[in-house]
Amino acid sequence: ATPALRQFATPPTFSEKYIYRRRQPLSAEARLAGHYLYLAVPQPQSPEQAMNSLALLSLAVRNLNAALQATPDDAMAMSNLGVAYLRLGMMEEMLNGGTAVPRIRQIRNLQASSAFWQAIKMNPELLDPWNGLIAVYERMGRRDLLLQALEKWLELADKAEGIPPEQKEAFAEERTRRYAAKRDIEDLLAEGDSELDSQIEKALANKPKMEES
């Protein structure tokens, strides 16, 4: 019998719906990779569909690497490579019943984050790689890094220009949602710092007693 496929992939993000699919890279390889990313189903309904998406994402990685060999300064292609690695890792976990293999997950997160950071170095004003880093740091559970990525995304979003009229409302809603997420993370980090300070104070208070005994 065909094993059940555990559903856990998230719906397409704002950037996947309104940014990644809107922009057309210049090279043939990057354009083809964009088609593969578009066709890879983010929420497959069967193991067969998931395997097909896995193959499409692998092809996207291959074509983006080829595109970057020809045009190594293509920031959008580099950012999309990060997206491909990120989604590839998610699909691999889905096919594994929703269970991450720690070593593979670590590798995919490293591949994705490295690509996003390289894209940022190529074009510091590009929103897409910061959006990708937000997704990576969420998966890693790194609230400190997630907060930094959110702050930079919001900084760039606040001064973004050229948003198509039909996308302005969705963009504004996403920005509002991320400001709320930023406040939530700041509160969680503040609570964590307070708890850590309390634990340190208790440890210091108990130290003389331990030495006396």
Side-chain angles (χ1 to χ4, degrees):
T2 302
L5 183 67
R6 180 171 178 179
Q7 297 294 324
F8 83 106
T10 56
T13 63
F14 172 84
S15 288
E16 287 172 335
K17 290 192 288 186
Y18 298 104
I19 298 178
Y20 297 143
R21 296 179 181 180
R22 174 169 59 85
R23 298 179 179 173
Q24 286 297 315
L26 296 178
S27 72
E29 292 87 354
R31 285 199 302 272
L32 186 58
H35 292 314
Y36 290 141
L37 285 172
Y38 180 84
L39 292 172
V41 180
Q43 290 184 296
Q45 301 301 309
S46 68
E48 292 76 15
Q49 200 174 49
M51 286 297 296
N52 183 59
S53 292
L54 188 71
L56 289 167
L57 292 169
S58 298
L59 288 170
V61 168
R62 183 183 303 176
N63 278 273
L64 286 165
N65 277 315
L68 287 163
Q69 286 183 352
T71 54
D73 59 346
D74 187 341
M76 196 63 220
M78 184 63 76
S79 182
N80 279 340
L81 180 61
V83 173
Y85 278 130
L86 179 63
R87 291 182 58 188
L88 190 63
M90 294 174 67
M91 200 62 61
E92 288 167 340
E93 289 180 25
M94 181 179 289
L95 284 166
N96 197 42
T99 304
V101 177
R103 178 62 176 165
I104 295 177
R105 181 168 187 158
Q106 182 181 25
I107 289 172
R108 293 301 184 213
N109 286 338
L110 178 61
Q111 289 171 323
S113 60
S114 295
F116 291 135
W117 276 114
Q118 289 182 66
I120 289 167
K121 289 181 180 178
M122 295 174 188
N123 185 354
E125 301 302 310
L126 195 60
L127 267 172
D128 303 69
W130 287 108
N131 188 72
L133 286 173
I134 288 170
V136 172
Y137 295 148
E138 280 182 326
R139 281 171 59 76
M140 293 173 64
R142 290 295 306 270
R143 290 174 180 167
D144 53 340
L145 298 177
L146 174 57
L147 179 60
Q148 293 175 19
L150 270 170
E151 289 174 339
K152 187 61 180 180
W153 188 94
L154 288 166
E155 177 188 331
L156 294 173
D158 284 342
K159 60 182 180 181
E161 298 179 352
I163 304 296
E166 68 276 11
Q167 297 175 9
K168 284 186 177 180
E169 183 177 353
F171 188 81
E173 289 176 355
E174 180 67 10
R175 186 169 52 188
T176 299
R177 187 186 70 80
R178 292 200 167 178
Y179 267 112
K182 174 178 173 291
R183 290 192 295 270
D184 290 342
I185 295 169
E186 287 172 338
D187 290 343
L188 287 170
L189 289 174
E191 290 175 6
D193 289 341
S194 178
E195 178 64 24
L196 179 60
D197 291 342
S198 176
Q199 291 177 1
I200 292 174
E201 289 176 3
K202 289 179 180 179
L204 292 174
N206 290 332
K207 187 176 180 181
K209 298 178 181 178
M210 293 174 63
E211 290 177 347
E212 291 173 4
S213 60

